[in-house]
Amino acid sequence: MATTLVSGAAFGAAMMAAGFHNPAVVIEQFKFENWHMLQAFLAATAASGLICAVAEQVGYVKLQPRSSSPLGLFAKYDGNVIGGALLGVGTALSGSCPGTLYPQLAAGVRTGLYALAGASVGGILWAGVLGKAVKKQRESAGVRPEAGVVNDALGLSRATTLLLLEAACLAVITATTIYTPRNANTVLLGATGGLLVGLAQLVSILTRRSSIGISGAYEEIGHVFWWLVGGADPGARPASHQNLLFASGVAAGAWGLLRAVPALAAVPPVEVPPALAVAGGALMAVGSRMAGGCTCGHGISGISLLSASSVMTIATAFAAGGLVAPLVH
């Protein structure tokens, strides 16, 4: 329990320092007006890739790549594509992602509260109805999740593929930094904030021997809801609350750092209309559960492990968010 809270607090503090408490950071990225979010994301992924590789090399931990989320409708990764699209649309609508809404809450940004409400509804729908429908669809189609890695698809060694990932992240960060003006909505540069998120990944590996991920918290909210509706039978108590504990640590870590460094939230945040934030929260919760992870679990952790399903999910999320954000903001 303590290690889960500690790793969550490290992650929350890192996102607070990176400026993700302000919905403008997410919205401007999807409108291609500022590349702070992508720079932070790529720096965190690159750092996480090195951390995970070293931890596995020395035998400290064995991390499994993210499995696919098939639906049996049109492709091996169709659940990742559909779930990623829902995640991207929800993130673009709400100016939040499953992890960043907690720094928003810590900073008193109302958008985070509305996004959390929507995400909780999404988790309830997933735990009670949608998740069961997806499971039934997989069974009828005769498909099941499979672990696949990018290096196998490319026919390269893991070390070579990881080196290419690091080089690609560095190249994009450099290019976008040169051609993007300083982000007035944040204190730190995007890459600097991303490196701090990478350090939070290190804390998680050292303390929990597992990588970061947060979207499972909304499914756990759903399980708790249906357990209470069903009479709170002790024999039917939800099996795990680890993701909820982690999310609590994220909020606490973000709040603690903001109290210590108030200048991190000196710029007035952009507030998203409540209806958009609630709808976006619900969509991103459902999408992340359908895809088996969110921008944290698939993006920072999954891509760093070269998971093919993570690449499909995040690529689709960014594409969908880029289409929707200019239309609604």
Side-chain angles (χ1 to χ4, degrees):
M1 177 177 176
T3 56
T4 300
L5 289 171
V6 168
S7 59
F11 184 48
M15 288 198 295
M16 188 72 234
F20 284 116
H21 65 285
N22 193 340
V25 170
V26 175
I27 295 170
E28 290 177 357
Q29 176 62 67
F30 281 132
K31 293 174 69 177
F32 304 104
E33 295 175 350
N34 196 295
W35 298 86
H36 179 93
M37 176 184 173
L38 183 63
Q39 291 164 4
F41 175 81
L42 292 177
T45 300
S48 179
L50 292 176
I51 291 166
C52 292
V54 171
E56 289 192 297
Q57 186 65 34
V58 300
Y60 185 76
V61 69
K62 178 63 176 177
L63 301 170
Q64 296 298 322
R66 293 269 171 163
S67 297
S68 62
S69 296
L71 297 176
L73 297 176
F74 56 84
K76 179 179 180 180
Y77 295 104
D78 52 3
N80 296 100
V81 171
I82 296 174
L86 293 174
L87 171 62
V89 171
T91 301
L93 290 177
S94 64
S96 308
C97 75
T100 63
L101 65 82
Y102 293 99
Q104 291 174 1
L105 289 173
V109 180
R110 293 187 300 275
T111 292
L113 180 61
Y114 293 121
L116 176 60
S120 298
V121 171
I124 291 169
L125 291 173
W126 180 263
V129 180
L130 299 178
K132 296 175 182 178
V134 167
K135 181 180 179 181
K136 184 177 180 180
Q137 168 61 28
R138 285 176 180 165
E139 291 174 349
S140 64
V143 296
R144 59 183 180 180
E146 297 178 2
V149 288
V150 175
N151 46 288
D152 285 347
L154 296 177
L156 301 173
S157 68
R158 180 179 178 183
T160 299
T161 307
L162 181 59
L163 184 61
L164 290 174
L165 173 65
E166 299 291 327
C169 289
L170 179 60
V172 174
I173 291 171
T174 301
T176 55
T177 299
I178 293 174
Y179 295 107
T180 301
R182 178 75 169 84
N183 189 355
N185 294 314
T186 60
V187 174
L188 298 180
L189 294 172
T192 304
L195 291 176
L196 293 177
V197 175
L199 290 177
Q201 181 76 280
L202 176 61
V203 172
S204 182
I205 296 295
L206 292 176
T207 59
R208 300 192 300 162
R209 296 179 184 266
S210 65
S211 54
I212 56 177
I214 200 168
S215 63
Y218 307 110
E219 185 173 358
E220 288 181 0
I221 289 174
H223 287 309
V224 170
F225 172 84
W226 292 113
W227 174 64
L228 293 173
V229 169
D233 180 2
R237 184 186 299 272
S240 174
H241 299 95
Q242 288 301 303
N243 288 296
L244 282 172
L245 284 173
F246 183 81
S248 299
V250 172
W255 182 87
L257 183 63
L258 182 58
R259 298 288 81 74
V261 189
L264 290 173
V267 177
V270 170
E271 293 281 7
V272 174
L276 288 182
V278 171
L283 287 175
M284 69 184 182
V286 171
S288 62
R289 298 325 301 149
M290 180 178 292
C294 63
T295 43
C296 302
H298 265 313
I300 297 170
S301 297
I303 293 180
S304 68
L305 295 173
L306 306 179
S307 307
S309 62
S310 298
V311 173
M312 293 296 297
T313 300
I314 299 304
T316 307
F318 268 83
L323 290 173
V324 170
L327 300 177
V328 297
H329 295 292

